[in-house]
Amino acid sequence: MSIPPVHKAGKIEWPNAKPDPQKHFLLAGTEAYKNGTQMRANLDKLLATKKPENRDVIIYVHGFNNRFSDGLYRIAQMSHDLNLPGVAVTYSWPSAGNPLNYAYDRDSALFARDGLRRLIDEVSKSNARGIILVAHSLGSMVTMETLRELRVSGNTRAMNRISGVVLMSPDLDLDVFKTQADAIGELPDPFIIFSSKKDRALRLIEQLTGQKNRLGRLEDVGEIAKYDITYIDVTAYSEGGTNHFPTAKSPALLKILGQIPDLERALSGDGGRTGLLPGTVLTVQNATTLILSPVASR
């Protein structure tokens, strides 16, 4: 992927009829692999160029109403804006790419579980230090179902290589999430959820499905108190529109997250989070809520 020099944090400068690498995100080149062995060989080659502590593989799982290009460009934007270490990989599941086809996408998310499981299994055989799963919206359903399948099937090798999970604006019914988390048992650490009470997309989905209490906009972290989770409320950075992806789109929030030299330490359960992120920390049993606030308002 080619990132234009005029790029602004949180934006994707989409190419138009006259794509220009000075102005637009562009796909600079592609290479197809015949099998997992070829893919792992290339992955190991990329990992070898990194420092040992930066040899993680970050697998991004896109959300509802996202085409292949949407997921590809979004992980490129986040990797660039957050200066993510390691190697970024995107897993594309067959979304209809149409906001009116929610039922189609939800079925596709379930269909896509086996594909993500196979990808994680292949990456777990590589020289990666660990695997970090990052999912947005309905991609959280794909991710949680895959983790459940890995645990139930006894694939301990793959599960042990997963060193963190980040769910951004997860479109998951709370009771479904609890059932999945119970089946998984010990969750990967850190396990982080980004949420916004102003998430209009999740509010609309609640109305469409008749299921209130989406995981991505909980009013009370006590609902997930028994799980070792860091629940980060970014409502203060929800600046307009659907507010369904402020973590990737808010320049102010990206600046804060990008300035943390060790995001895993800041968000893990070792007590390192206090003072590294501006906001209020609340702990209920095993779950921790971090309510982020703009620095200027402190």
Side-chain angles (χ1 to χ4, degrees):
M1 295 295 298
S2 170
I3 310 293
V6 297
H7 170 66
K8 295 182 180 179
K11 303 277 186 187
I12 295 178
E13 288 80 10
W14 287 94
N16 53 30
K18 296 181 178 180
D20 183 345
Q22 297 299 310
K23 298 179 180 179
H24 309 126
F25 276 64
L26 291 177
L27 185 60
T30 63
E31 182 179 359
Y33 304 115
K34 294 180 179 179
N35 51 49
T37 301
Q38 285 190 356
M39 186 273 288
R40 290 198 310 275
N42 190 56
L43 181 59
D44 285 338
K45 187 184 300 184
L46 289 171
L47 289 168
T49 66
K50 308 288 184 180
K51 295 179 180 179
E53 65 271 20
N54 290 337
R55 291 176 184 167
D56 290 316
V57 172
I58 299 147
I59 299 178
Y60 173 65
V61 186
H62 68 73
F64 164 63
N65 187 30
N66 270 217
R67 300 162 296 175
F68 174 75
S69 58
D70 294 323
L72 191 63
Y73 281 46
R74 181 59 69 189
I75 186 57
Q77 173 255 314
M78 288 193 294
S79 296
H80 181 274
D81 291 349
L82 289 170
N83 193 25
L84 293 178
V87 176
V89 174
T90 182
Y91 175 70
S92 183
W93 54 274
S95 163
N98 187 326
L100 299 180
N101 283 355
Y102 181 76
Y104 177 97
D105 274 19
R106 191 155 66 169
D107 287 345
S108 290
L110 295 175
F111 163 81
R113 296 171 294 184
D114 287 346
L116 180 57
R117 176 182 54 77
R118 288 193 296 270
L119 175 61
I120 293 172
D121 193 50
E122 290 290 349
V123 175
S124 73
K125 299 173 186 175
S126 74
N127 294 328
R129 184 184 71 155
I131 300 170
I132 300 172
L133 301 176
V134 178
H136 174 235
S137 183
L138 200 52
S140 299
M141 169 69 82
V142 183
T143 300
M144 288 299 296
E145 281 292 296
T146 301
L147 289 173
R148 178 185 180 280
E149 171 60 24
L150 287 172
R151 182 69 78 191
V152 170
S153 66
N155 191 339
T156 54
R157 184 196 65 248
M159 281 299 297
N160 290 340
R161 299 297 298 280
I162 297 173
S163 56
V165 174
V166 179
L167 305 183
M168 299 180 175
S169 307
D171 176 13
L172 264 172
D173 174 73
L174 178 59
D175 290 334
V176 171
F177 171 76
K178 288 180 178 179
T179 300
Q180 294 164 329
D182 289 341
I184 295 167
E186 184 178 354
L187 297 174
D189 182 24
F191 194 103
I192 303 158
I193 298 172
F194 283 92
S195 71
S196 171
K197 293 182 176 65
K198 292 182 180 179
D199 192 323
R200 295 187 181 92
L202 290 184
R203 187 181 304 167
L204 177 60
I205 289 167
E206 288 177 347
Q207 294 172 352
L208 288 173
T209 62
Q211 298 171 321
K212 303 298 183 182
N213 240 4
R214 306 312 278 178
L215 182 64
R217 51 182 245 107
L218 293 180
E219 293 292 335
D220 180 14
V221 73
E223 298 271 16
I224 52 174
K226 75 174 186 176
Y227 305 108
D228 189 4
I229 289 173
T230 300
Y231 195 82
I232 303 180
D233 187 332
V234 297
T235 302
Y237 294 89
S238 301
E239 300 173 346
T242 62
N243 293 319
H244 194 43
F245 211 168
T247 314
K249 295 182 178 180
S250 168
L253 184 54
L254 284 166
K255 185 176 181 180
I256 287 174
L257 296 178
Q259 287 176 339
I260 301 171
D262 187 350
L263 184 60
E264 184 175 325
R265 180 173 62 86
L267 298 177
S268 67
D270 62 2
R273 62 172 70 86
T274 305
L276 288 172
L277 295 173
T280 304
V281 179
L282 304 172
T283 301
V284 181
Q285 200 172 324
N286 293 326
T288 298
T289 300
L290 178 55
I291 304 172
L292 293 188
S293 58
V295 176
S297 67
R298 295 179 69 194

